[in-house]
Every structure is written in structure tokens, then in C-alpha cells.
Amino acid sequence: MFDFFKSKNFIGFYDQYIFWIKVLFLSLLIFGLILSLFVSPADYLQGDTVRIMYVHVPASWLSLMIFAAMGVSGLLTLVFKFRFFTLVSKSLAPIGFTFCLISLFTGSIWGQPTWGTFWAWDARLTSMLVLAFIYIFYILSWKIIKKFLLAEKISALISLVGLANIPIIKFSVNWWNTLHQPASIKLTGAPTIHSSMLTPLVIMFLVFVIFALINFLIRLKFETLNMKLNKYE
């Protein structure tokens, strides 16, 4: 069942399917932008400013999901010494960091007309900023530490420690008084957001997921070939 994780099998998968993944991405992107910008209604309080949600929310979700995947990959690396998961985590880090920055940037733009300020040191914003720094520490560990095996261990430990911040971000609006509203979409209940806004939000999330997947596959192919070239495998 682990044959896919062998370098030659993964590269074969990449070469065979990357074109169709890009086609799917462009198709969903066009559809999602039409829904988000023209079909979805303006909010009765925020007006057209609410459309920032279609970028901010998917970027925020993915920044958390990607780091969670990095943490799991780090655990598998430390426990099972399976180097493929090191490459997975290393390939995901710049993508997750980019989404984290997009989340912080679009959140600041959204916050100015909604809250009257670009930044506030509330629990959600602060914990997201902490996540950005954890991403930076992870990426720098690979840049600064020249020995591959040592960088592998240090980066895996950083991803494991950083996992503790994920539930803090997720539940900060429930644990503390914050400027952010409680979650509108929950796994345990019906969403409180209207379907006219939920549909484009889901479509844009899928667009972001596929965009992340394309970048991940490109980076993972590069890291796989680089590992083979340097004979780490």
C-alpha cells in the first residue's frame, strides 16, 4: 500500500495527472469568481466588503489544515523514519505560510471597515500571527541547518510543537472574547451562513485546495528529485 510513496511512482503520477488538475483548477476558478463577485449578494451590514470572505476564509482554513498535515508528517518521520513524509512536510511549508500571510493580510483589509482598525491583539489574530512565525521557524530550519538528518529532526519537532497552536486558533472565539464572530460553518450542526454565500465559499475553498495541490505536487517532485540527486534516499 506504500508503493505510491516511492519516488519513481510519485513522479509518474505527477507527470500523468498534473495537466488535468490544472484544467480543473482554471475551470473552478472562473466559476468561483463569477459566483463570488457577481452572483453572491452583498451583506446587509458590510455591503460588498463581505466578498473578501471568499479569499480570507479559504486561506485561513488551508493554513491550518496544511500545518496540521505537517505535524502529522513530522510525527510519522520521527516514529517510522519514513523520509517521504519529510519531503511532504518540507513541500507544504511555503504553501501553508503563503496562505497564512494571505489570511492575515485580507483579514486586516476586512477589519478596517468592519471593526474600524487594521489590527487588534485579540486571541484569533494573535494566534494566527504566531502560526506565521512557526512557519518561518520551520522554513528557516531547512535554510540554516546544513546537515539533512539534523534539519529533518529539528523541523519535525517544530511542526509537532506548532500543532498545539492549531486548537488555540480554532477555538479562540469560544474560549475568549474576540472581535471575530463564532464559526458560521460547523461539522456538528447546520451552517448559519445563507446558501447564496455558502456555495461560492465552498467553490472558492475547492479552488484554493486545488491550487495548493498543484504547488504541492510541483514542490514535492522537486524535493524528490533533489533527494535522489543528493543520495539521501
Side-chain angles (χ1 to χ4, degrees), residues 43 45-53 105-119 179:
D43 184 73
L45 288 177
Q46 302 179 44
D48 286 322
T49 306
V50 77
R51 301 187 194 280
I52 298 174
M53 169 181 67
F105 181 70
T106 55
S108 295
I109 296 176
W110 197 2
Q112 173 58 31
T114 305
W115 302 329
T117 181
F118 286 107
W119 184 263
L179 294 175

Side-chain angles (χ1 to χ4, degrees), residues 14-86:
Y14 173 90
D15 293 336
Q16 184 175 0
Y17 293 107
I18 189 64
F19 172 77
W20 296 109
I21 295 174
K22 290 178 180 178
V23 170
L24 178 61
F25 165 72
L26 288 175
S27 302
L28 277 179
L29 175 62
I30 295 172
F31 183 52
L33 288 176
I34 292 173
L35 290 181
S36 302
L37 298 178
F38 303 108
V39 178
S40 176
D43 184 73
Y44 75 103
L45 288 177
Q46 302 179 44
D48 286 322
T49 306
V50 77
R51 301 187 194 280
I52 298 174
M53 169 181 67
Y54 301 121
V55 174
H56 174 73
V57 173
S60 302
W61 286 350
L62 274 173
S63 66
L64 300 183
M65 292 176 180
I66 287 175
F67 197 89
M70 288 170 57
V72 173
S73 296
L75 178 62
L76 292 172
T77 297
L78 292 174
V79 175
F80 298 106
K81 312 298 181 185
F82 200 1
R83 185 147 296 156
F84 180 83
F85 291 107
T86 296

Side-chain angles (χ1 to χ4, degrees), residues 76-197:
L76 292 172
T77 297
L78 292 174
V79 175
F80 298 106
K81 312 298 181 185
F82 200 1
R83 185 147 296 156
F84 180 83
F85 291 107
T86 296
L87 303 185
V88 167
S89 188
K90 188 178 179 183
S91 302
L92 284 173
I95 303 170
F97 177 57
T98 301
F99 283 129
C100 191
L101 291 182
I102 292 173
S103 173
L104 290 169
F105 181 70
T106 55
S108 295
I109 296 176
W110 197 2
Q112 173 58 31
T114 305
W115 302 329
T117 181
F118 286 107
W119 184 263
W121 292 99
D122 81 339
R124 173 62 64 82
L125 292 171
T126 304
S127 54
M128 279 298 293
L129 182 62
V130 170
L131 179 64
F133 278 105
I134 296 173
Y135 270 119
I136 291 174
F137 293 149
Y138 181 94
I139 294 170
L140 285 180
S141 69
W142 283 103
K143 299 292 184 181
I144 296 174
I145 303 172
K146 302 304 180 182
K147 294 182 179 180
F148 183 90
L149 294 179
L150 180 59
E152 183 179 48
K153 293 179 181 178
I154 297 299
S155 62
L157 289 173
I158 292 174
S159 63
L160 283 177
V161 172
L163 276 180
N165 190 46
I166 300 301
I168 294 176
I169 297 173
K170 169 63 178 175
F171 298 108
S172 58
V173 294
N174 304 115
W175 294 344
W176 297 284
N177 292 322
T178 71
L179 294 175
H180 280 80
Q181 67 181 39
S184 299
I185 302 174
K186 300 178 181 179
L187 294 176
T188 57
T192 58
I193 183 174
H194 192 269
S195 59
S196 61
M197 292 182 173

